[in-house]
């Protein structure tokens, strides 16, 4: 019976297949008719002949204090998306990421108003070019389409001759140039030539160019290509100003011109008929604070706005020579008015082909032409001729399109058959369900030394097709690699003998796929950590390659900060003033460092004798016409007045010897200073924490301190004396010296920011590191690099760069830029009491290509499981599970055999100092089993048997935690948690001495 039934069944399926293919072809033909109806409906509704819109939005500024430029670009990004331009048609270039800056009080957010009602960054932003990718070269390549083949489509401007493009730029600029990251400039000629290349290459229909920068209107003065409309925020020689500050953020949050443009755009929707003229009429000079301009002489269509626009802004203060290039031609332009949505929104109108043509025909024709000729400029703005049809008559040429649809379906069927033939002829190793792919269906409860694993997998050859159950007895509970397995047939080819071997492959492979899907749905598709299971959600191993030292910001800030000081006045300021913070992350400040620290450590002066000094420069004489100058330099400490009966160098050097950090003394006479004269001495001894030379004699007197006819102050016989060696700084408590001194600063990952201090003070830099706020990705500051900058040989700044990753001398490769040289560079790291907090000390061996192994403990850490549990706390050498490196700790049964919590602790008690406060920090992830599986995830932090914190994160990626603890000496730290299938991973555990 079965042999009689099989042919009938085969015929039935053949008839079914033919009917199915016929139905598909009919549906494909109907689809074209429906498309024609839609095209007829939308035909002619657009005000422009373009068929697609693009936006290129550029913020060219780096550094935190340029927050507003990023907000400008993101505000435009939000507007064009709201009005219908999809992310696929937006190229967003941000030179910096203020949202993730460590100084941002509202992480992952950017706001454009002090009320912070709208987050411009949000969760739905796609940045195409970020950080150092934002260069003049990349911007021009995006416009002209001359990008390497490796650049993905998402980072390309895939425009054509029917594209309207909105180009917006913001940053710092001047007359006919715009800065990119304070490192390079793009000129008005560069942009003009790029637009001409775009026109010649058929890459746009119309361009609307908008720029917000100082002297912005000069940036479009060199344009010469057709169909470009341009506007800017300010005239030549005029600044463009910020709108308002946010006291919590600490910087200006948006520029004035962009603010008022965006404010107007909030009243525009996707179907708005407002024109570009209406937008320009909204410009209000008194509010904006500068004179915006427009240029329309290259633009062929009228701007709209009627006669009101021709008076351009009467009543709004918008009247100034050069504000509108092309105003006179505006009255004579014909055609449809330029709508705002022609550039800011999605396309409402669609192209309708002329009679007898189709999309495919036009595409093939345009491709052929593009290979042989340049696109013609003639007629680029002519109206598209639309074909008309009546009733339900078929559009001419539709039958040709239907034939193309039939060819497409036929090709699909032929290719599918060929793939099927090749597939069934290949070896089993190529089989789509894989000879070696296994699926864990069940894991029986295991004892300590007897574990049973059951897998289903295909076991298919050309002669024997079957599905087998593989029973594996694990020889060791701690080594999932040593197994003895037995193959037990489940289904054999003899049961369905009428199937060929190749058909059997297909049948049983499909059966396996369906069974795997069923098991996945039933069990949540979870493969336990001991079997190398892939987390349901990637917790995200962290890549810090984009967090390198921002040397550009440091150098640019060094060019504007002034740390020079000298012995002004006549009141002796003893003791020396505290170390002062003069800049932080590019912002100029003036804050004593000790105001940030509650218990600052002070060191004792280093005792020297007069013979330990050498004269650096000599002074003038004391004749009636001799004039000299005193030092105005960095690292000024204090001064005193000496008995001027003799020029007492020894007394001055002894004074320096008793002032902490002093390495240089400047001794000189200051005359016509009433305060000094009344005291009986005018011999000043000014001391510094750095060495200076005669080129820094910048204080030449000249002050009128006494009423006329008394003369102006003047200086004589100014000499300089320096210690033969600089003071070797004391290593701060809780830190250790990594390298130095050298003449190279770190350029390393894990960068958090920098500070300038007014002298070379290692302790002050350590205090800044200790009090630096934690980075959301990297945690607390664990390392700092302090170095001195010499500009043309003169001490200029003292930089303290901070990092959440420990660096070393191998990355001290920044030797300076231009006339700025790095000197006296030292690196210090915080000492962690916990040994091997990153679990990197455990590994599978050096000869293993892809390590995967685990253990309940090793020399640095130990895992403890309950009496009836098994491997509920373990350490893995497996990079995909780790946050950094390859080591990571796990709480929860690695084999999924129980739901008991495990306990993890350092292998020995901690070498702490009783009474001291320490900072415990670590990173935790519970993203292995998915939202439902991780519902019971928890961690208890135990300090000397006391629970100091309980964390119940649920489903969560790598998250930073930090707690302060007071040491008793030989303290015990434990992490208790995990409840399989809720798994808790720990990495990068540290315990630092808390200072400040």
């Amino acid at each position: 019976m079965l042999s009689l039934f099989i042919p009938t069944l085969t015929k039935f399926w053949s008839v079914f297949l033919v009917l199915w293919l016929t139905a598909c072809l009919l549906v494909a033909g109907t689809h074209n008719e429906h498309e024609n109806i839609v095209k007829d409906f939308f035909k002619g509704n657009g005000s422009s002949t373009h068929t697609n819109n693009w936006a290129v939005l550029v913020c060219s500024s780096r550094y935190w204090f340029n927050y507003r430029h990023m907000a400008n670009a993101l505000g435009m990004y939000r507007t064009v998306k709201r009005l219908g331009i999809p992310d696929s048609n937006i190229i967003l270039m941000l030179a910096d990421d203020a949202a993730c800056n460590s100084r941002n009080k509202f992480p992952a957010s950017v706001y454009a108003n002090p009320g912070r009602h709208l987050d411009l960054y949000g969760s739905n932003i796609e940045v195409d070019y970020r950080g150092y990718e934002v260069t003049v070269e990349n911007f021009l390549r995006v416009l002209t389409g001359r990008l390497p083949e490796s650049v993905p489509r998402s980072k390309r401007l895939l425009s054509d001759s029917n594209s309207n493009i909105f180009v917006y730029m913001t940053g710092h600029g001047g007359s006919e140039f715009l800065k990119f990251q304070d490192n390079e400039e793009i000129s008005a000629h560069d942009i003009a030539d790029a637009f001409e290349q775009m026109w010649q290459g058929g890459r746009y229909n119309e361009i609307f160019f908008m720029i917000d920068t100082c002297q912005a209107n000069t940036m479009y003065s060199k344009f010469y290509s057709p169909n470009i409309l341009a506007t800017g925020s300010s005239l030549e020689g005029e600044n463009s100003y910020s709108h308002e500050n946010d006291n919590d953020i600490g910087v200006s949050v948006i520029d004035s011109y962009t603010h008022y443009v965006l404010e107007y755009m909030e009243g525009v929707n996707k179907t708005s008929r407002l024109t570009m003229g209406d937008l320009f009429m909204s410009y209000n000079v008194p509010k904006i604070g500068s004179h915006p301009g427009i240029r329309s002489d290259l633009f062929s269509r009228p701007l709209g706005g009627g006669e009101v626009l021709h008076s351009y802004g009467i009543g709004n203060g918008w009247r100034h020579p050069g504000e509108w290039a092309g105003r006179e031609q505006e009255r004579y332009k014909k055609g449809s008015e330029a709508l705002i949505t022609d550039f800011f929104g999605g396309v409402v109108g669609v192209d309708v082909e002329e009679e007898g043509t189709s999309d495919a025909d036009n595409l093939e024709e345009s491709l052929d032409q593009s290979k042989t000729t340049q696109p013609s400029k003639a007629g680029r703005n002519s109206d598209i001729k639309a074909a008309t049809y009546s009733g339900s008559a078929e559009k001419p040429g539709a039958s040709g399109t239907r034939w193309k649809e039939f060819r497409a379906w036929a090709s699909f069927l032929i290719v599918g058959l060929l793939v099927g033939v090749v597939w069934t002829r290949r070896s089993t190793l190529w089989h789509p369900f894989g000879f070696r792919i296994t699926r864990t269906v069940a894991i029986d409860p295991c004892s300590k030394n007897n574990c049973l694993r059951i897998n289903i997998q295909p076991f298919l050859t050309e002669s024997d097709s079957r599905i087998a159950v593989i029973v594996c007895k694990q020889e060791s509970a701690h080594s999932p690699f040593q197994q003895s397995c037995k193959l037990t047939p489940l289904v054999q080819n003899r049961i369905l003998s009428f199937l060929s071997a190749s058909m059997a492959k297909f049948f049983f492979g499909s059966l396996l796929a369906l069974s795997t899907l069923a098991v996945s749905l039933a069990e949540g598709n979870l493969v336990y950590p001991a079997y190398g299971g892939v987390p349901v959600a990637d917790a995200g191993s962290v890549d810090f390659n984009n967090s390198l030292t921002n040397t550009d910001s440091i150098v640019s800030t060094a060019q504007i900060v002034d740390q020079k000081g000298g012995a002004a006045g006549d009141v002796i300021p003893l003791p020396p003033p505290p170390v002062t913070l003069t800049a932080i992350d590019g912002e100029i400040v003036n804050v004593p460092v000790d105001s940030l620290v509650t218990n600052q450590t002070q060191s004792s002066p280093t005792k020297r004798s007069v013979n330990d000094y050498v004269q650096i420069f000599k002074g003038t004489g004391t004749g009636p016409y001799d004039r000299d100058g005193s030092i105005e330099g960095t690292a000024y400490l204090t001064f005193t007045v000496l008995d001027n009966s003799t020029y007492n160098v020894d007394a001055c050097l002894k004074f320096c010897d008793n002032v902490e950090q002093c390495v240089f003394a400047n001794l000189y006479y200051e005359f016509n200073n009433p305060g000094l004269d009344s005291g009986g001495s005018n011999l000043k001894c000014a001391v510094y924490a750095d060495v200076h030379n005669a080129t820094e004699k910048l204080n030449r007197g000249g002050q009128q301190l006494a009423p006329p006819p008394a003369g102006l102050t003047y200086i004589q016989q100014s000499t300089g004396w320096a210690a033969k060696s600089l003071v070797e700084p004391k290593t701060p408590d809780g830190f250790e010296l990594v390298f130095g001194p050298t003449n190279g600063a770190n350029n390393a990952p894990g960068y958090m920011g920098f500070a300038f201090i007014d002298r070379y003070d290692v302790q002050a830099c350590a205090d800044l590191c200790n009090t630096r706020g934690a980075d959301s990705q990297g945690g607390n500051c664990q390392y700092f690099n302090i170095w001195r900058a010499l500009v043309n040989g003169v001490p200029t700044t003292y930089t303290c760069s901070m990092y959440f990753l420990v660096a070393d001398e191998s990355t001290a490769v920044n030797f300076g830029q231009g006339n700025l040289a790095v000197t006296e560079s030292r690196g210090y790291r915080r000492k962690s009491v916990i040994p091997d907090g990153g679990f990197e000390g455990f590994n599978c061996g050096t000869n293993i290509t892809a390590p995967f192994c685990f253990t309940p403990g090793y020399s640095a850490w130990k895992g403890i499981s309950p009496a009836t549990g098994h491997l509920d706390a373990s350490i893995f050498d497996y990079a995909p599970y780790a946050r950094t490196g390859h080591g990571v700790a796990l709480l929860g049964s690695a084999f999924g055999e129980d739901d008991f919590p495990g306990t993890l602790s350092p292998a020995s008690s901690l070498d702490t100092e009783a009474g001291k406060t320490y900072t415990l920090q670590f990173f935790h992830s519970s993203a292995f089993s998915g939202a439902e599986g991780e519902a019971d995830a928890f961690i208890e932090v135990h300090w000397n048997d006391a629970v100091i914190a309980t964390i119940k994160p649920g489903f969560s990626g790598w998250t930073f935690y930090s707690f302060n603890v007071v040491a008793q000496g030989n303290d015990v730290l434990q992490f208790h948690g995990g409840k399989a299938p809720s798994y808790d991973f720990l990495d990068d555990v540290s315990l630092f001495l808390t200072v400040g």
Side-chain angles (χ1 to χ4, degrees), residues 62-68 96 98 101 103-104 172 245-253 550 552-558 560-563 580-591 751 753-757 772 797:
R62 289 186 67 81
Y63 315 136
W64 173 250
F65 51 83
N66 292 319
Y67 181 106
R68 66 188 185 279
D96 205 353
N101 191 291
R103 298 194 65 198
N104 193 346
H172 289 292
N245 296 333
D246 186 312
N247 292 332
D248 290 329
I249 295 175
V251 292
S252 300
V253 293
N550 192 340
D552 290 340
S553 177
I554 295 174
V555 172
S556 63
T557 308
I560 60 176
V561 71
D562 184 6
Q563 297 192 163
T580 301
L581 188 68
T582 59
I584 181 74
D585 297 336
E587 289 287 320
I588 306 302
V589 297
N590 186 20
V591 180
Y751 176 71
F754 75 96
F756 285 167
I757 49 181
R772 181 88 184 195
T797 56

Side-chain angles (χ1 to χ4, degrees), residues 3-51:
S3 60
L4 294 174
F5 176 73
I6 295 303
T8 304
L9 184 63
T10 304
K11 291 179 181 179
F12 169 78
W13 282 108
S14 300
V15 173
F16 175 77
L17 180 61
V18 171
L19 292 175
W20 177 73
L21 289 174
T22 303
C24 289
L25 292 175
L26 292 175
V27 171
T30 307
H31 170 75
N32 245 20
E33 295 177 4
H34 293 166
E35 186 176 297
N36 293 335
I37 295 173
V38 173
K39 287 185 176 181
D40 289 341
F41 177 82
F42 282 109
K43 178 178 61 183
N45 284 353
S47 63
S48 173
T49 59
H50 70 293
T51 61

Side-chain angles (χ1 to χ4, degrees), residues 320-396:
H320 195 282
E323 281 180 335
W324 186 357
R327 170 174 170 265
E328 296 303 323
Q329 298 99 311
E330 194 64 25
R331 297 177 183 272
Y332 307 104
K333 292 181 180 178
K334 304 297 181 183
S336 59
E337 296 178 339
L339 301 183
I340 292 175
T341 52
D342 287 345
F343 298 97
F344 284 83
V347 178
V348 176
V350 297
D351 271 354
V352 180
E353 299 88 352
E354 297 182 12
E355 293 187 13
T357 65
S358 68
D359 287 341
D361 294 328
N362 291 336
L363 178 60
E364 292 174 0
E365 181 180 353
S366 64
L367 289 175
D368 292 338
Q369 289 178 353
S370 66
K371 295 177 182 177
T372 56
T373 62
Q374 291 288 343
S376 171
K377 292 186 182 181
R380 285 280 295 276
N381 293 306
S382 60
D383 293 335
I384 297 177
K385 180 181 178 181
T388 57
Y389 314 101
S390 60
S392 59
E394 185 176 2
K395 174 182 173 180

Side-chain angles (χ1 to χ4, degrees), residues 394-413:
E394 185 176 2
K395 174 182 173 180
S399 60
T401 302
R402 179 170 295 176
W403 168 243
K404 286 185 170 67
E405 292 283 353
F406 175 79
R407 285 189 301 173
W409 278 101
S411 300
F412 172 77
L413 179 60

Side-chain angles (χ1 to χ4, degrees), residues 268-279:
V268 180
N269 57 39
K270 295 181 180 179
T271 60
S272 173
R273 305 297 296 177
L274 291 173
T275 65
M276 297 302 294
D278 295 325
L279 170 63

Side-chain angles (χ1 to χ4, degrees), residues 296-319:
S296 62
D297 57 313
L298 300 173
F299 194 67
S300 60
R301 292 192 290 141
L303 302 182
E307 290 298 321
V308 180
L309 180 65
H310 297 153
S311 63
Y312 63 113
I314 291 178
N316 290 337
W318 190 40
R319 176 183 288 278

Side-chain angles (χ1 to χ4, degrees), residues 874-896:
S874 51
I875 296 92
F876 277 73
D877 178 12
Y878 190 43
Y881 290 171
R883 173 181 172 269
T884 57
H886 56 83
V888 67
L890 171 67
L891 292 175
S893 176
F895 286 101

Side-chain angles (χ1 to χ4, degrees), residues 312-509:
Y312 63 113
I314 291 178
N316 290 337
W318 190 40
R319 176 183 288 278
H320 195 282
E323 281 180 335
W324 186 357
R327 170 174 170 265
E328 296 303 323
Q329 298 99 311
E330 194 64 25
R331 297 177 183 272
Y332 307 104
K333 292 181 180 178
K334 304 297 181 183
S336 59
E337 296 178 339
L339 301 183
I340 292 175
T341 52
D342 287 345
F343 298 97
F344 284 83
V347 178
V348 176
V350 297
D351 271 354
V352 180
E353 299 88 352
E354 297 182 12
E355 293 187 13
T357 65
S358 68
D359 287 341
D361 294 328
N362 291 336
L363 178 60
E364 292 174 0
E365 181 180 353
S366 64
L367 289 175
D368 292 338
Q369 289 178 353
S370 66
K371 295 177 182 177
T372 56
T373 62
Q374 291 288 343
S376 171
K377 292 186 182 181
R380 285 280 295 276
N381 293 306
S382 60
D383 293 335
I384 297 177
K385 180 181 178 181
T388 57
Y389 314 101
S390 60
S392 59
E394 185 176 2
K395 174 182 173 180
S399 60
T401 302
R402 179 170 295 176
W403 168 243
K404 286 185 170 67
E405 292 283 353
F406 175 79
R407 285 189 301 173
W409 278 101
S411 300
F412 172 77
L413 179 60
I414 293 171
V415 171
L417 291 173
L418 289 174
V419 169
V421 170
V422 173
W423 171 49
T424 57
R425 298 290 295 176
R426 293 293 298 269
S427 68
T428 58
L429 290 177
W430 185 84
H431 192 278
F433 301 104
F435 178 74
R436 284 294 183 185
I437 296 177
T438 64
R439 166 63 190 166
T440 301
V441 175
I443 300 177
D444 292 345
C446 297
S447 64
K448 289 288 184 179
N449 295 306
N450 185 16
C451 202
L452 189 68
R453 190 172 65 154
I454 302 176
N455 296 335
I456 286 184
Q457 70 176 30
F459 185 83
L460 306 174
T461 67
E462 293 295 336
S463 60
D464 186 14
S465 302
R466 58 187 177 180
I467 291 181
V469 175
I470 304 207
V471 181
C472 300
K473 180 180 179 183
Q474 187 170 297
E475 301 296 339
S476 171
H478 300 312
S479 176
F481 310 107
Q482 301 173 4
Q483 298 170 346
S484 58
C485 300
K486 178 183 178 182
L487 181 66
T488 303
L490 176 65
V491 181
Q492 296 191 19
N493 194 23
R494 294 188 300 273
I495 299 177
L496 299 175
S497 57
F498 63 90
L499 292 177
S500 66
S502 58
M503 287 300 293
K505 277 187 185 181
F506 178 80
F507 177 78
F508 287 120

